[in-house]
């Protein structure tokens, strides 16, 4: 059985990348809390992760000519964004609810750290196997 | 968008909120200003924010000040012939600053500023922990 470093980290590498993207999106929502007509957007993490994993398991671009540049693995497209449903209408058309965004940001940070710990554990396990101590 | 972009987003928001805090300070400082004509009377100023988008990807890059608008509220006309600023008929014109409104604005701006500082700090810690990956 061949060992593949790409699969060694499982979904956690993808998850960590998506969590970082979601952090930036939530930061943008919090930054625009007083901007008229700004609509809060968020990443649906479950479906985004599924999409990334399908993209990475699908076959990559094929080089049919010698002059083609080889693609570096899966497509690195940004996760799809969807609008958040506002709980209450606001006078200036802004749909950011600061409390909801703060809670989502805190939760996302904890989940980022969880993914990070899993990834760290995998790396430590690999290192132990390599050293054979 | 990566964790690095959080620094740009949050700092642009902090900049916008500090401009808002500045205009509030200017409004409160001029709340008692008087003038000898209606046109020259101080009018409360208020910044209007807008979202900055990345032209290529449509992602949010931060916040910018679109404009600073003057309040349309009527200027208070007061009969005060003893005032050195009074016009020929003995009237002075006070500013249209609403102190209560400005106080509420000030609290809102400082809370939003604090929020963005917190976001930036948390993101920085996340980045620093990522740098220690595998150690």
């Amino acid at each position: 059985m061949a060992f593949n470093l790409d699969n060694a980290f499982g979904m956690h590498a993808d998850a960590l990348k998506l969590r970082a993207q979601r952090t930036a999106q939530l930061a943008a929502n919090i930054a625009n809390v007083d901007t008229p007509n700004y609509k809060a957007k968020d990443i649906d993490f479950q479906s985004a992760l599924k999409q990334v994993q399908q993209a990475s398991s699908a076959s990559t671009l094929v080089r049919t000519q010698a002059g083609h540049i080889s693609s570096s693995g899966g497509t690195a497209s940004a996760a799809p964004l969807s609008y958040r449903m506002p709980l209450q209408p606001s006078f200036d058309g802004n749909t950011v609810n600061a409390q909801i965004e703060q809670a989502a940001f805190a939760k996302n940070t904890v989940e980022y750290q969880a993914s990070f710990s899993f990834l760290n554990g995998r790396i430590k396990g690999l290192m132990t196997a390599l050293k054979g101590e | 968008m990566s964790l690095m972009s959080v620094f740009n987003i949050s700092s642009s928001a902090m900049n916008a909120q500090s401009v808002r805090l500045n205009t509030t300070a200017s409004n409160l400082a001029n709340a008692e200003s008087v003038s000898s004509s209606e046109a020259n009377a101080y009018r409360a100023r208020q910044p209007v924010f807008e979202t900055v988008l990345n032209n290529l990807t449509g992602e949010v890059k931060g916040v910018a000040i679109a404009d600073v608008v003057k309040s349309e509220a009527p200027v208070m006309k007061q009969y005060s012939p003893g005032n050195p600023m009074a016009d020929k008929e003995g009237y002075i014109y006070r500013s249209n600053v609403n102190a209560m409104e400005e106080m509420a604005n000030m609290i809102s701006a400082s809370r939003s500023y604090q929020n963005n500082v917190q976001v930036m700090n948390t993101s920085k810690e996340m980045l620093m922990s990522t740098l220690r990956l595998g150690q």
Side-chain angles (χ1 to χ4, degrees):
Chain A
M1 196 177 84
F3 175 75
N4 188 349
L5 198 63
D6 282 342
N7 299 334
F9 300 138
M11 66 192 286
H12 302 303
D14 290 332
L16 205 66
K17 216 187 287 175
L18 268 177
R19 289 277 173 221
Q21 252 181 53
R22 185 152 183 250
T23 306
Q25 183 53 45
L26 292 174
N29 287 348
I30 291 174
N32 281 290
V33 72
D34 293 313
T35 310
N37 290 321
Y38 178 83
K39 309 293 178 207
K41 280 180 263 180
D42 197 0
I43 295 169
D44 181 9
F45 186 79
Q46 301 291 339
S47 60
L49 187 62
K50 210 173 280 174
Q51 195 181 320
V52 168
Q53 288 189 312
Q54 275 167 0
S56 61
S57 64
S59 59
T60 50
L61 297 177
V62 181
R63 291 170 69 196
T64 51
Q65 299 253 329
H68 286 171
I69 300 169
S70 65
S71 74
S72 56
T75 49
S77 61
L81 299 171
S82 44
Y83 289 105
R84 207 188 282 293
M85 290 299 290
L87 288 179
Q88 52 194 13
S90 101
F91 199 57
D92 60 357
N94 186 303
T95 64
V96 179
N97 185 326
Q99 284 76 34
I100 288 180
E101 300 300 334
Q102 275 178 322
F105 190 86
K107 190 164 176 248
N108 188 58
T109 306
V110 172
E111 284 164 341
Y112 180 91
Q113 270 153 4
S115 285
F116 177 82
S117 300
F118 286 130
L119 200 55
N120 222 359
R122 287 281 175 99
I123 292 173
K124 288 230 170 83
L126 276 175
M127 293 303 278
T128 314
L130 283 172
K131 284 176 186 160
E133 285 166 354
Chain B
M1 280 207 282
S2 68
L3 276 177
M4 280 295 182
S5 66
V6 174
F7 289 104
N8 291 330
I9 292 168
S10 290
S11 65
S12 74
M14 279 154 68
N15 183 36
Q17 296 293 351
S18 74
V19 169
R20 188 173 165 208
L21 215 54
N22 256 323
T23 50
T24 305
S26 157
N27 290 344
L28 280 175
N30 283 294
E32 298 301 322
S33 295
V34 293
S35 170
S36 46
S37 74
E38 193 172 348
N40 286 337
Y42 182 84
R43 285 171 167 79
R45 282 152 174 79
Q46 195 67 254
V48 179
F49 295 168
E50 69 174 355
T51 312
V52 184
L53 295 173
N54 186 330
N55 287 337
L56 224 59
T57 59
E59 283 167 348
V60 179
K61 275 203 316 192
V63 192
I65 308 282
D67 199 6
V68 178
V69 294
K70 286 184 185 176
S71 165
E72 299 284 321
V75 172
M76 217 214 302
K77 192 178 175 185
Q78 191 183 351
Y79 185 63
S80 170
N83 197 306
M85 291 296 280
D87 62 4
K88 273 181 255 166
E89 282 98 42
Y91 284 103
I92 55 166
Y93 298 87
R94 291 188 176 279
S95 73
N96 64 355
V97 176
N98 182 338
M100 290 301 127
E101 227 169 72
E102 297 303 330
M103 292 301 280
N105 241 327
M106 186 185 80
I107 295 167
S108 169
S110 75
R111 286 285 176 271
S112 299
Y113 191 94
Q114 284 171 7
N115 259 344
N116 283 296
V117 172
Q118 202 68 44
V119 166
M120 212 185 215
N121 252 335
T122 309
S123 305
K124 194 191 86 187
E125 274 164 28
M126 283 161 78
L127 266 176
M128 294 308 282
S129 71
T130 314
L131 287 178
R132 286 191 297 271
L133 184 67
Q135 282 178 16

